[in-house]
Amino acid sequence: MAAGSNTAKGYWVSAVLALLIVTGAVVAPLPTRAIDPGRHQTQAAAATTAPAISPGPVDIAGSWNRTAAEEIAEAQLRKKKWKVAGFGTPPYTDKFVAENSLTHASHTATFLTFETTPRNFDCHACQPYLSFFEFDQRPDGWKLADSELGVLQAGGWGDFSTQWVSLHALADSVDGIFVDDGGTNQGVSLMNLHLFAKVNGAFRQILLMQISESVPDRGGWSSTITPVPTPAGLADLKVDRVQSDPRNTLRWANGSEQSRDEVANLNGDIRPHDRFSFNGTRYVRCPSVH
């Protein structure tokens, strides 16, 4: 995937993203910044032990070995040509961010997240590029199934490792990587959710939505996202929003008009409930849910 610039402006100091690579079963609710997988996270999506998938050559023989997986990922990153305007000059540094695993009825997958930064990259708006590597378990070991290099820029001060990455199932064979990335400007803290998925063989963004806001002395609001299974295709996303300060009702005040439409009415009132469905191209809000 070609890297693209995503420099934060104004209040959007940094973005929040979430990536999906679809495998589905229902997962636990996803409260905004309430799930902290740290650097390691393992979940059972549909079965505690996944049956072995078809045999074949593997990149890591035997049991899971993160050190070996990191070496494979770093070898790919070293080969990438970071020809991106405003992204500094080499040498580039690649750093491990997180390890996340899911066990499905059909397979077990482990994802590694890396960040890449150029030399002297430590300003407030300096955002590393994130890359993702999927390893699938085979009968004789682990195989690198997919790699997405330089998918997006996130974080700040030249670092992303303090932010959060989590993995959740959306369908049987679709793993979703949720990456929360927030920023603060003049006391106002915002968070966005970018949702990416591999759909019909293409890895792309399928949802962009603000998921929280906090304003000093005025409270704020946050979101809980719960995948809801559907008869076919990707799970729906049930979104519940709550005000963090009962004395104040925070209304929509920042961000783009498109982002507002995903969370608030035209008058600025934050909607307490929404449901999003995948239409084959992206997630869209169901207008009948209030």
Side-chain angles (χ1 to χ4, degrees), residues 195-210:
L195 182 56
F196 289 78
K198 178 166 282 188
V199 180
N200 297 324
F203 189 79
R204 53 191 172 84
Q205 180 172 282
I206 56 176
L207 176 66
L208 170 61
M209 179 175 61
Q210 184 176 333

Side-chain angles (χ1 to χ4, degrees), residues 120-242:
N120 300 325
F121 198 64
D122 57 1
C123 66
H124 190 188
C126 290
Q127 297 179 302
Y129 269 101
L130 300 186
S131 299
F132 302 90
F133 301 86
E134 177 189 356
F135 293 85
D136 286 348
Q137 189 174 23
R138 301 288 177 88
D140 297 324
W142 295 79
K143 177 72 174 178
L144 178 63
D146 189 27
S147 57
E148 302 292 341
L149 307 186
V151 171
L152 54 95
Q153 284 183 276
W157 298 104
D159 182 60
F160 181 80
S161 60
T162 59
Q163 308 300 320
W164 295 354
V165 181
S166 58
L167 187 65
H168 305 279
L170 294 180
D172 185 41
S173 295
V174 184
D175 298 326
I177 307 174
F178 287 72
V179 184
D180 290 348
D181 176 34
T184 301
N185 189 300
Q186 298 180 350
V188 178
S189 298
L190 304 177
M191 292 183 69
N192 283 338
L193 171 67
H194 291 256
L195 182 56
F196 289 78
K198 178 166 282 188
V199 180
N200 297 324
F203 189 79
R204 53 191 172 84
Q205 180 172 282
I206 56 176
L207 176 66
L208 170 61
M209 179 175 61
Q210 184 176 333
I211 57 176
S212 71
E213 181 178 5
S214 177
V215 181
D217 302 323
R218 292 180 51 207
W221 58 272
S222 61
S223 305
T224 298
I225 303 172
T226 307
V228 179
T230 59
L234 300 190
D236 285 355
L237 298 178
K238 179 175 175 287
V239 182
D240 298 295
R241 305 181 184 93
V242 296

